[in-house]
Amino acid sequence: AFAGPGPRAAVPAPGAAVILLVVADPQLAADAGFTLSVLATAGLLVLAPRWRDALRRRGVPSGFAEALVVPAAAQVAVSPVIAGLTGTISLVSVAANLISTPAVAPATVLGVLAAAVAPVWPAAAGFLAWLGSWPAWWLVLTARYGARAPAAVVPWPDGAGGALLLAGLTVAVLVAT
């Protein structure tokens, strides 16, 4: 998406990918994980750049602004669906995601490399997987402690009504701010 002709390609490219994936596998349309992934990506593409730029205009250093808006934009985008599915709203997810951000790239890259190397060099794949387990451990630890935090989640109406209510409140807050 970002390699396309200018920033206008950032939304249509993943949108086309989503359409192709759902056409190829219609069951994805009802898969919660796929839905959350699509919404998080949309939040990163649509909300994060605007929020980052707004923070920069207010004097927030670039790296810090980027680090703040990525988990916040993704969380805002997925929260209505999570609330609808679980009947809860997390009060710690943005902080937990911010804390775990440095571990995501190494865990992902090492895991992909381990999977790619495994058919031809199992010993190297095992080593890469072991290396990837360290940042993955950080992700698990962050999730465990975040879930145990006092008032980590609060109850919310579940189902479509709860999702729509949170989506409406989120839009109202975003417009107001």
Side-chain angles (χ1 to χ4, degrees), residues 1-21 38 41-42 45-46:
F2 291 114
R8 291 184 296 183
V11 173
V18 168
I19 291 169
L20 289 173
L21 287 168
V38 168
T41 301
L45 293 173
V46 175

Side-chain angles (χ1 to χ4, degrees), residues 52-70:
R52 177 203 58 218
D53 294 345
L55 288 174
R56 284 182 184 166
R57 284 191 300 274
R58 287 173 177 79
V60 176
S62 181
F64 188 67
E66 193 83 32
L68 281 176
V69 302
V70 166

